[in-house]
Amino acid sequence: MPVDVVVNDGVAEITLNRPEALNAIDAQMRRDLREAWQRVGCDDDIRVALVTGAGTKAFCAGADLKRTMPPPESFAELTFGSAESNHLLAGMDIDKPIVCAINGYAIGGGMEMALACDIRLASSNAELGLAEVRHGTIPGGGGTQHLPRAIPQSVAMQLLLTGDRIDAAKALACGLVSEVETPERLLPRAREVADRIARNGPLAVRAIKRVVREGMAMPLASALELELFVWGSLRDTKDRIEGRRAFAEGRVPQFQGR
């Protein structure tokens, strides 16, 4: 299968599994990814998603140009006439956190997928870039919007307009990734991060992601009002009461998402 999904202790590990093609995205992988994100969004037993690529060379090298032909439908048909989105990031707009382990190349659509994740960790051999401008087009999977929101605008514009790649050290320096690990250590460390998130109160985790995501598009005063409203919504939940009791009793809380 082009995409493998394994669920363990609240974490859905999604692996792009075409290492012979540097995990490039073909039509089947796109469909499988859409189904995987739908499963993550709908399954209450899944609290966090972790996405990575099979092998040691690449997270995802973008679209598989050898196996991705232009669709027979017009753009209007795909945009307005289909009930199911064919967008690369379809299904990723969920409240559950997504951790990305970038184990090598993250180019084009691969980088755009990584940018749509909440936490990005990279291996020391990672290279990231959006080279579409070199081919006479633009990143169409969110790259022009997500990148300037993730790193300083000047750095983002230089990468977008030149199509240059950056290595893991530069990605860390500009804040594009939060950690850099050795290739051997990357996936275990990403799992540690995902596991720590999964152990926290699921309602609070999802609320934080929603408040941050929506608040970034608001004036500060409005975002603070949203934060207060969400805090109040969580105040009397069973999980918040359980968290305070567990702290007082010196034990691990047992959250239920209620």
Side-chain angles (χ1 to χ4, degrees):
M1 294 290 289
V3 177
D4 292 333
V5 181
V6 177
V7 179
N8 187 32
D9 293 332
V11 177
E13 190 166 315
I14 300 170
T15 304
L16 312 183
N17 192 15
R18 296 187 67 221
E20 73 286 353
L22 298 180
N23 299 316
I25 304 164
D26 63 3
Q28 184 61 52
M29 179 182 282
R30 190 181 289 258
R31 288 191 292 269
D32 288 356
L33 278 170
R34 185 167 59 243
E35 292 176 2
W37 296 126
Q38 289 173 346
R39 177 180 175 185
V40 171
C42 295
D43 190 339
D44 290 338
D45 291 331
I46 297 174
R47 298 185 177 184
V48 184
L50 166 60
V51 59
T52 191
T56 59
K57 294 182 178 180
F59 165 63
C60 176
D64 188 337
L65 301 182
K66 297 178 181 179
R67 299 182 61 176
T68 306
M69 295 296 105
E73 302 90 349
S74 69
F75 184 73
E77 287 178 280
L78 292 174
T79 303
F80 303 111
S82 175
E84 196 169 68
S85 173
N86 195 44
H87 194 277
L88 172 64
L89 308 184
M92 292 187 72
D93 187 23
I94 53 178
D95 287 335
K96 297 177 183 179
I98 305 174
V99 179
C100 183
I102 305 170
N103 55 314
Y105 294 115
I107 308 299
M111 183 171 176
E112 290 178 304
M113 194 185 310
L115 285 168
C117 297
D118 302 293
I119 300 173
R120 292 175 291 276
L121 295 83
S123 66
S124 55
N125 68 334
E127 291 188 26
L128 303 90
L130 295 168
E132 284 83 352
V133 72
R134 296 186 177 186
H135 307 296
T137 186
I138 71 170
T144 65
Q145 301 306 304
H146 286 145
L147 189 60
R149 286 168 168 80
I151 61 177
Q153 183 174 337
S154 178
V155 181
M157 289 298 290
Q158 183 172 337
L159 291 175
L160 286 164
L161 294 174
T162 63
D164 288 345
R165 301 178 187 177
I166 58 172
D167 61 19
K170 290 183 179 179
L172 180 64
C174 70
L176 185 54
V177 300
S178 56
E179 296 183 25
V180 173
E181 302 286 346
T182 63
E184 298 78 17
R185 177 64 182 150
L186 175 66
L187 190 53
R189 174 57 182 157
R191 287 169 175 159
E192 288 176 7
V193 173
D195 287 340
R196 289 187 64 181
I197 296 171
R199 289 197 296 268
N200 292 329
L203 296 180
V205 166
R206 296 176 68 174
I208 286 173
K209 177 171 177 177
R210 184 181 297 187
V211 169
V212 170
R213 182 175 56 193
E214 295 184 2
M216 291 288 286
M218 294 179 177
L220 179 58
S222 299
L224 290 172
E225 288 183 7
L226 174 64
E227 180 187 75
L228 181 60
F229 174 79
V230 173
W231 177 87
S233 300
L234 294 172
R235 187 190 65 182
D236 299 323
T237 61
K238 292 182 179 179
D239 277 357
R240 185 170 183 270
I241 295 170
E242 164 64 10
R244 296 168 76 86
R245 285 177 175 169
F247 178 81
E249 297 168 7
R251 59 178 176 81
V252 177
Q254 302 297 313
F255 295 120
Q256 301 179 36
R258 299 178 181 174

